[in-house]
Amino acid sequence: MTTQDHRPRTVGPRHHARARASESRQLPLYDAGSVEVPYVIQGAAEVITRDTWWDEHSHPTHELLWNERGASTATVGTRTWTVTPSVGLWVPAGVRHTGWTPAGTWQRAAQFSSHAVPSISAEPVAVDLTVLLSLLLDRLSEEGLSDASRATTEAMVLDVLAPAQAQLLLQVPTSPLLAPVVEVLRDDPADQTTLAGWAARLGVSSRTVTRTFVTETGLGFSQWVATARAQHAIAMLARDEEIDDVARAVGYGSASAFGTAFRRVTGVSPGRFRAL
């Protein structure tokens, strides 16, 4: 007897790791505000020692996810965000999500009381982990912090916390027509199949492929492929892999071509992104 995997289909580095030893963590499903917590902001940190899949769960609190080291992904429905040391993700209380965290990632999280803190967004949204915000969140983890100092620091966190202007987000199409494209790019981001090539393979016109991508993701075929490749590249850059190696691994013939495409998706160069 076989079972079907109902986990969301995403394009990202975690799929390469599923073949390796990994673990699956199950957390409860909570409605927003269903648990009264005794804090305004509470942080947590963990160095992930095995590739880890987080099954669908939700929190009674708002959650801010980011990494001290490495890149991970979080998925809500068909949307997958990449989480890094410089770009975190705000998940409002009660929103169901899954996650993938590769081994070696130093993962950080902060829970915000949904009774004391209004959500900065009705939907999950990226957050820039600026130097100031990072320092304030670190201060909340210090032992011996007085109640007055904690309250002041929490107020400062809430003052500077805001949605980012750009998001490391990939909308994954769910149409059966595009499933082969998703599968190939998931396993080999360097695949060079063109729009015309995919149309021929799928037995439809190039216009049909393009129209389906735009309808389901808001992006044309080439833009979507570039975004999927950037998601792979971010994880490699977070591991300090050489830019030339990253460029080849995600399908670009040169570091300059990779840099141009990466900048269009993320707004910064690969070198600048790694330095953030």
Side-chain angles (χ1 to χ4, degrees):
M1 178 176 169
T2 60
T3 59
Q4 184 177 0
D5 188 352
H6 293 288
R7 295 171 180 175
R9 229 170 358 115
T10 61
V11 176
R14 66 183 180 83
H15 292 272
H16 293 288
R18 282 190 187 173
R20 305 197 300 265
S22 61
E23 69 173 282
S24 181
R25 297 195 191 182
Q26 296 182 337
L27 297 174
L29 290 166
Y30 288 106
D31 292 331
S34 59
V35 177
E36 186 80 41
V37 295
Y39 55 79
V40 176
I41 305 174
Q42 179 172 282
E46 180 182 1
V47 175
I48 303 298
T49 58
R50 299 178 64 192
D51 295 333
T52 300
W53 166 264
W54 306 82
D55 286 333
E56 187 175 62
H57 62 283
S58 57
H59 305 282
T61 51
H62 310 306
E63 183 176 45
L64 177 63
L65 295 168
W66 76 103
N67 297 322
E68 196 76 27
R69 179 182 66 238
S72 56
T73 60
T75 299
V76 177
T78 60
R79 296 168 294 169
T80 296
W81 285 264
T82 300
V83 178
T84 73
S86 59
V87 182
L89 178 66
W90 176 269
V91 183
V95 173
R96 296 187 177 199
H97 56 288
T98 60
W100 174 257
T101 310
T105 303
W106 182 355
Q107 182 173 272
R108 300 282 301 274
Q111 305 297 328
F112 294 71
S113 167
S114 58
H115 294 284
V117 179
S119 182
I120 64 172
S121 171
E123 297 287 333
V125 68
V127 171
D128 287 329
L129 263 297
T130 62
V131 173
L132 176 57
L133 179 56
S134 297
L135 289 173
L136 292 170
L137 291 166
D138 287 344
R139 189 165 193 254
L140 291 177
S141 299
E142 293 179 1
E143 294 184 6
L145 194 64
S146 69
D147 290 345
S149 293
R150 174 170 295 279
T152 298
T153 305
E154 288 171 340
M156 294 177 69
V157 168
L158 299 179
D159 186 54
V160 301
L161 187 65
Q165 292 186 347
Q167 303 200 69
L168 303 178
L169 170 63
L170 182 69
Q171 181 88 22
V172 180
T174 58
S175 166
L177 174 68
L178 300 182
V181 185
V182 174
E183 293 298 318
V184 167
L185 267 296
R186 180 193 71 182
D187 296 328
D188 181 16
D191 181 79
Q192 297 295 313
T193 306
T194 63
L195 172 60
W198 274 116
R201 188 183 301 187
L202 298 173
V204 297
S205 68
S206 295
R207 180 176 297 179
T208 297
V209 175
T210 298
R211 183 172 60 246
T212 307
F213 262 110
V214 172
T215 299
E216 296 205 10
T217 73
L219 301 175
F221 171 79
S222 297
Q223 291 174 298
W224 189 87
V225 170
T227 304
R229 286 175 170 175
Q231 205 175 55
H232 282 273
I234 286 166
M236 298 179 70
L237 292 169
R239 295 194 299 266
D240 288 329
E241 297 191 30
E242 294 295 329
I243 290 176
D244 285 344
D245 294 336
V246 176
R248 286 191 294 270
V250 297
Y252 295 97
S254 66
S256 61
F258 165 57
T260 298
F262 188 86
R263 192 179 297 109
R264 285 174 181 161
V265 173
T266 66
V268 296
S269 69
R272 175 60 180 160
F273 182 88
R274 189 160 56 184
L276 291 174

